[in-house]
Amino acid sequence: MQRREHSGPLLQTEPRLPEYAAICHIAVSPHARGFFESDAPVEVLSSTASERKLHLSDGTTVWLNNGAKLKYPASFEADNRTVYLEGEAYFEVRHQAGRPFYVRTDNGIVKEYGTSFNVNATSHSTTVTLVEGCVSVLAEGYTERVITPGEQVVVSQDGIIAGHRDITNDIAWKTGIYKMDNVSVGEFANYLEEWYGYNVVFQSEETREARFSGIVNRNKSLSTLLEAVAYATGIRIRIAENCIIFE
């Protein structure tokens, strides 16, 4: 089966990354309530169906991914802005000199120095991936680690691991831009089932194992997406009732 490269609006060569963005994969501290000195924290839980957008009192904007939980005060203290996160969220922080913004977690604290960043929470590790701007990670027993753009830092009980990587897919839940690098059609079918709720049917194992590369834009319609994938792979794709059929 011949592999093709599609240059249309869906399968592109390079994504457009948001400016001043960073990614952090974080877990929430169970002691959030004790940190807030005045009122009890506001607690917001995102639905499992879609992301939720919030505006905090300091002008910071937060997008919560499916199932994420954020705790924050109705009004921040004069010299401190701290939130607690469980799950994944994308922050656009309005930098204020002398009033840093913190995301507290079980594994450490993320401190911003004028940037936007994404945070995803697990109880086992904290992963911070910076796109642009500046953040640092503070973990018990370690010195503060400043992260450079394109660098990813993982904090766990085993220590801190750092390295540079392609971060396109780390922020794809927010941007809708996914990088497919020699991905099989079978692997890509998992995305289709998750995004659109269709069952995927393959009429041959050869079709399932066919591979393609490119940038997939989830913000496009299903029909446009399938047209681009069909062009890139040479596979005929059709929709019948609630099924996507790869022939």
Side-chain angles (χ1 to χ4, degrees):
M1 182 172 298
Q2 184 179 6
R3 174 178 161 185
R4 305 182 186 179
E5 296 294 339
H6 185 73
S7 58
L10 198 58
L11 295 179
Q12 304 166 4
T13 56
E14 294 292 339
R16 290 182 61 85
L17 295 177
E19 295 184 354
Y20 304 104
I23 291 271
C24 315
H25 295 267
I26 313 287
V28 67
S29 167
H31 307 297
R33 181 178 298 275
F35 182 84
F36 298 110
E37 298 178 0
S38 53
D39 298 332
V42 177
E43 183 172 315
V44 175
L45 177 65
S46 178
S47 72
T48 57
S50 62
E51 65 186 52
R52 183 171 182 176
K53 185 177 181 180
L54 303 173
H55 297 283
L56 306 187
S57 62
D58 67 330
T60 293
T61 303
V62 185
W63 288 261
L64 298 179
N65 202 357
N66 300 348
K69 183 189 295 184
L70 184 72
K71 291 184 179 181
Y72 60 94
S75 297
F76 288 111
E77 302 293 331
D79 59 351
N80 176 42
R81 297 178 294 165
T82 301
V83 300
Y84 297 80
L85 178 73
E86 181 178 2
E88 186 168 28
Y90 187 99
F91 292 79
E92 288 187 355
V93 179
R94 181 167 296 179
H95 182 68
Q96 298 179 11
R99 199 181 182 209
F101 190 97
Y102 296 97
V103 180
R104 297 179 67 91
T105 78
D106 277 346
N107 300 288
I109 302 172
V110 176
K111 179 180 180 181
E112 67 81 29
Y113 292 89
T115 185
S116 301
F117 54 92
N118 186 84
V119 180
N120 185 12
T122 74
S123 59
H124 304 293
S125 65
T126 296
T127 305
V128 182
T129 310
L130 180 62
V131 178
E132 193 168 340
C134 185
V135 298
S136 67
V137 173
L138 300 90
E140 185 176 358
Y142 297 91
T143 58
E144 180 177 0
R145 175 62 184 265
V146 177
I147 304 173
T148 60
E151 184 179 20
Q152 183 173 91
V153 174
V154 180
V155 182
S156 68
Q157 293 181 348
D158 297 327
I160 298 179
I161 301 175
H164 285 79
R165 55 174 285 158
D166 186 335
I167 59 176
T168 303
N169 289 343
D170 292 316
I171 56 174
W173 75 270
K174 173 63 172 58
T175 64
I177 306 299
Y178 291 78
K179 185 174 184 178
M180 303 295 165
D181 186 7
N182 196 31
V183 172
S184 71
V185 176
E187 292 173 306
F188 179 66
N190 295 328
Y191 288 100
L192 294 177
E193 291 177 334
E194 177 185 350
W195 296 343
Y196 300 103
Y198 282 75
N199 296 318
V200 177
V201 176
F202 295 96
Q203 293 193 339
S204 73
E205 192 62 26
E206 181 184 7
T207 298
R208 183 192 296 271
E209 295 301 324
R211 294 182 175 273
F212 70 97
S213 297
I215 301 299
V216 173
N217 189 343
R218 184 188 175 186
N219 301 312
K220 301 294 184 178
S221 67
L222 175 59
S223 60
T224 302
L225 187 153
L226 293 180
E227 179 183 355
V229 173
Y231 184 90
T233 61
I235 297 173
R236 183 172 182 267
I237 309 172
R238 61 186 175 90
I239 299 176
E241 297 182 351
N242 67 332
C243 292
I244 300 173
I245 302 172
F246 288 78
E247 299 182 339

